[in-house]
Every structure is written in structure tokens, then in C-alpha cells.
Amino acid sequence: MKFLITGGAGFIGSAVVRYIINNTCHSVVNVDKLTYAGNLESLKSISQDGRYAFEQVDIFDKTELERVFTTHSPDAVMHLAAESHVDRSIDMPCEFIQTNIVGTYNMLEVARAYWLGLDNEKKTSFRFHHVSTDEVYGDLYSDDDLFTEDTPYAPSSPYSASKAASDHLVRAWHRTYNLPIVITNCSNNYGPYHFPEKLIPLVILNAIKGEPLPIYGAGDQIRDWLYVEDHAAALFTV
């Protein structure tokens, strides 16, 4: 199979790309705008593999997305491209609306048009896998509290609100147009190539330099953590 992965140069996306190339016989088309968080060094180990292709494309650009689908003819989509930093979403919410909501809309429409043109066998096996976040469910209030598939949506930042909106769009495209979709909501990831503005690498780097360790708010937030390479393996088995 050939997987079209958006955000494949990002932290989680690059782990997914590496997992597929290193552990399967499948192919990957990596679609990434290469913003500040995109890091092609994270893909250096597989960049010369014949089953890997890279397209520097912004998912806000619908015309370019159509070209990518036509050129590469993917069998499935894994949509990970997103603005994802809460503090940045507070300072610059417009970028989150553009990428996470409008970008997802573009992906859905281009994927739907492409899917409709497939033969019956490929149409049946096609999937649009939308990778979301548990932050769409709001806050945990105790160590025993857990999010489930039935937890009501309660986003509390521009970031989580934009991801919640993208989840709803994906579900609507399934309900309205029958586009075959999967949505997964993961907790905080950590591991290799994590961008240094995120909590774990930021605290480690500040500790090494002897600088203050920044904690969000009063430090009361409960965080659940998932090793990024475990997440990548799990995503591929969904």
C-alpha cells in the first residue's frame, strides 16, 4: 500500500514515516509545509529509500493537494499536519484556524474527490485516518480520571478548539458523504526529535543550562504521556 501522510516531517508524523519504512513493505508520500516544527533531519535515515517520497506542500493549498493525490495515487491517508502548541495558539490563533480547520477541510474535499474516482476494490479499502488529540476533551481532574470515546468535547484553548472542529468535520464527511474515516485521539507524546518548546525537552534543556523550569499555570494539570514510537506503531495497526 501507499500511505499519504500529512505532517510527516513533524514530531509524531516522522515517527510514523520511519515506522512504516523500517518495519513494513509499504510506501510513504510525506506531505509537509516545513514550518518551524518540521525537521527533515528526523527522516534522514530513510530519506533515500525508494519507497519514500517527499512533497513540500501546504495543506491550505487545495490545488497542490490535488496534484499530489493525482501524482502519487495513495491507498490511504494519515492526516497529522497541525499547529499544536497551546501557547502559540493563544498568541496566534489565526494560524491554528487556517491549518487545523481549513487545512483539514481541504484534505477532506480532495480526498473525497479522489476516493470517488477509485475502482470499487480500492474504494472499499481506502481510509482517511485523522490523528487528533485528547485535549479536545478538556481537563483531567484526578489521577483516576480518564478520557474515553464517550467523553464530551470540552476544548479550552484555540488549539484544542481548532482540533475539535477538525474532528467534527471528519465525522461529518463520513456521515454526509460516506467517506471511510478513522479518528484517533492521543495523549501527550514524548521521545526522539521532540521540538524543544514542548514540556519534556524544554525542562531537560533548561535543567542542563541551570535555568528556571517553566510550569504551565499553577502546575495542577494532570498529563498522560505516550512514547512517540509506541504511538507510531499503534497508529499503523488501527
Side-chain angles (χ1 to χ4, degrees), residues 18-110:
R18 292 194 304 272
Y19 179 84
I20 293 174
I21 296 300
N22 289 330
N23 295 280
T24 79
C25 296
H26 303 305
S27 301
V28 172
V29 180
N30 174 10
V31 176
D32 199 295
K33 180 183 176 181
L34 292 183
T35 64
Y36 71 95
N39 180 13
L40 289 180
E41 284 296 310
S42 64
L43 297 166
K44 190 173 181 179
S45 63
I46 57 89
S47 62
Q48 299 305 310
D49 194 290
R51 293 176 292 125
Y52 172 76
F54 174 65
E55 292 275 4
Q56 186 171 353
V57 170
D58 186 348
I59 61 172
F60 194 70
D61 189 336
K62 192 174 180 181
T63 300
E64 273 294 276
L65 286 177
E66 291 170 343
R67 178 191 63 78
V68 170
F69 272 79
T70 300
T71 300
H72 295 282
S73 302
D75 299 299
V77 172
M78 299 181 74
H79 178 40
L80 293 97
E83 293 284 348
S84 65
H85 194 255
V86 173
D87 290 346
R88 284 180 181 268
S89 78
I90 294 170
D91 295 333
M92 298 176 292
C94 181
E95 293 186 13
F96 287 71
I97 301 301
Q98 176 172 297
T99 298
N100 298 354
I101 300 178
V102 181
T104 298
Y105 160 74
N106 284 339
M107 284 297 302
L108 287 165
E109 278 293 84
V110 174

Side-chain angles (χ1 to χ4, degrees), residues 62-196:
K62 192 174 180 181
T63 300
E64 273 294 276
L65 286 177
E66 291 170 343
R67 178 191 63 78
V68 170
F69 272 79
T70 300
T71 300
H72 295 282
S73 302
D75 299 299
V77 172
M78 299 181 74
H79 178 40
L80 293 97
E83 293 284 348
S84 65
H85 194 255
V86 173
D87 290 346
R88 284 180 181 268
S89 78
I90 294 170
D91 295 333
M92 298 176 292
C94 181
E95 293 186 13
F96 287 71
I97 301 301
Q98 176 172 297
T99 298
N100 298 354
I101 300 178
V102 181
T104 298
Y105 160 74
N106 284 339
M107 284 297 302
L108 287 165
E109 278 293 84
V110 174
R112 181 170 72 93
Y114 170 77
W115 170 70
L116 287 172
L118 296 175
D119 62 40
N120 288 336
E121 182 178 353
K122 288 190 174 183
K123 186 180 289 186
T124 300
S125 62
F126 183 85
R127 292 293 182 275
F128 185 101
H129 184 169
H130 177 62
V131 180
S132 187
T133 171
D134 65 355
E135 292 196 39
V136 299
Y137 301 125
D139 300 322
L140 293 173
Y141 296 101
S142 73
D143 291 340
D144 297 326
D145 200 11
L146 294 173
F147 296 128
T148 73
E149 290 83 355
D150 297 321
T151 302
Y153 275 61
S156 55
S157 69
Y159 161 58
S160 57
S162 66
K163 287 298 288 185
S166 68
D167 289 7
H168 294 322
L169 287 174
V170 174
R171 285 192 174 91
W173 258 244
H174 172 63
R175 180 69 178 270
T176 305
Y177 305 110
N178 296 317
L179 181 70
I181 62 99
V182 175
I183 299 177
T184 52
N185 299 81
C186 69
S187 59
N188 294 279
N189 281 220
Y190 72 96
Y193 304 104
H194 208 175
F195 194 74

